[in-house]
Amino acid sequence: MRNDEPSSTARLIAAGALFVHRDPKLGFLVSKEAAEACSWFLEACSPLWASFLKHSADKTWFRSVVRAIENRSVPGMLLHYAVRKQHIESKVRQAFAQGVRKLSVLGGGFDTLALRLHREFPEIFFVELDHPATQRYKKAALQKLELPRPNFLLQAVDFRLQTLEEVLTSCPAYS
C-alpha cells in the first residue's frame, strides 16, 4: 500500500459490495445502507471510478466482464465477501445481546459494520483502527455527511510502528 492512498483491498471489497448489492439474485446480501456507504468511500478516493461503477453495475456487459475476471482469478470471491460480512455482523449482534459494550475493528478498510451499527446501538462504543491513508479517505467521506456520532471513533494507525495496546490506551474514549 502506498502511504497516500487507501488500500487496494479496501477499494476492491467496497466495489464488490456495490456489485453484489446490485445483483438481481444476491442483492439481499448487502444492505442499501452498506452499499451507499461503500459508494461514499469509493467516491472520496476516486470520484470517476465511483461514478463509472454506479452507472455500470446494472449493465449486463459490465456484470459479464466482472464475473469473467472473478472466475479467472478467484471464483466466488464476491459472494464470499458478502456472506462473510453477514456472518460477522450476526456474531457481533449476538455479542451485543450478551452484554458486550465495545467493538474494535482492526484494519477494516472501507467496511461499513461499525458505521451502520453505531447509530443503532448508541450505548456501545465503536473504534476502527486502520492505516492512515485509508482512514483519511473514510473520514473525508463521513465528514461530508456529518458522521459519525460520538460513540464511533476512526483512529489512524500504522501497526508497523505502534502496537494495538499503544493505540487503544492513547484513545481517551476507550478504556
Side-chain angles (χ1 to χ4, degrees):
M1 173 184 348
R2 292 179 40 180
N3 286 334
D4 58 343
E5 292 184 16
S7 73
S8 57
T9 303
R11 290 180 286 185
L12 174 67
I13 293 174
L18 286 173
F19 186 79
V20 170
H21 174 73
R22 304 283 280 280
D23 186 284
K25 294 178 183 172
L26 302 175
F28 69 94
L29 292 171
V30 177
S31 71
K32 180 181 178 186
E33 187 180 23
E36 286 175 348
C38 287
S39 182
W40 302 331
F41 302 147
L42 290 170
E43 190 172 313
C45 60
S46 179
L48 187 60
W49 168 243
S51 177
F52 172 77
L53 187 59
K54 186 177 183 178
H55 292 96
S56 301
D58 292 332
K59 308 276 191 264
T60 304
W61 69 267
F62 182 73
R63 298 192 71 71
S64 297
V65 169
V66 170
R67 291 286 181 218
I69 292 169
E70 180 187 31
N71 287 336
R72 288 194 174 269
S73 56
V74 185
M77 185 55 72
L78 296 178
L79 177 60
H80 165 79
Y81 289 152
V83 171
R84 182 182 71 186
K85 287 182 179 295
Q86 273 202 336
H87 179 73
I88 291 169
E89 182 169 341
S90 73
K91 292 300 183 184
V92 167
R93 287 178 180 279
Q94 285 176 2
F96 291 167
Q98 294 170 355
V100 169
R101 291 295 171 251
K102 291 186 181 123
L103 176 69
S104 302
V105 178
L106 309 179
F110 289 154
D111 185 72
T112 67
L113 179 67
L115 172 66
R116 289 180 295 107
L117 294 184
H118 92 281
R119 293 182 275 195
E120 185 178 340
F121 297 95
E123 72 283 4
I124 295 176
F125 185 75
F126 297 81
V127 62
E128 278 195 19
L129 303 139
D130 207 341
H131 190 271
T134 302
Q135 289 292 45
R136 186 170 43 256
Y137 284 92
K138 195 167 193 174
K139 282 182 180 180
L142 296 178
Q143 285 174 346
K144 289 180 183 178
L145 304 164
E146 298 179 9
L147 290 171
R149 295 186 173 132
N151 67 322
F152 182 57
L153 174 67
L154 290 170
Q155 181 68 41
V157 60
D158 185 338
F159 284 120
R160 296 173 300 173
L161 306 174
Q162 292 177 282
T163 66
L164 177 60
E165 183 180 12
E166 290 170 337
V167 175
L168 290 179
T169 55
S170 71
C171 296
Y174 192 93
S175 65

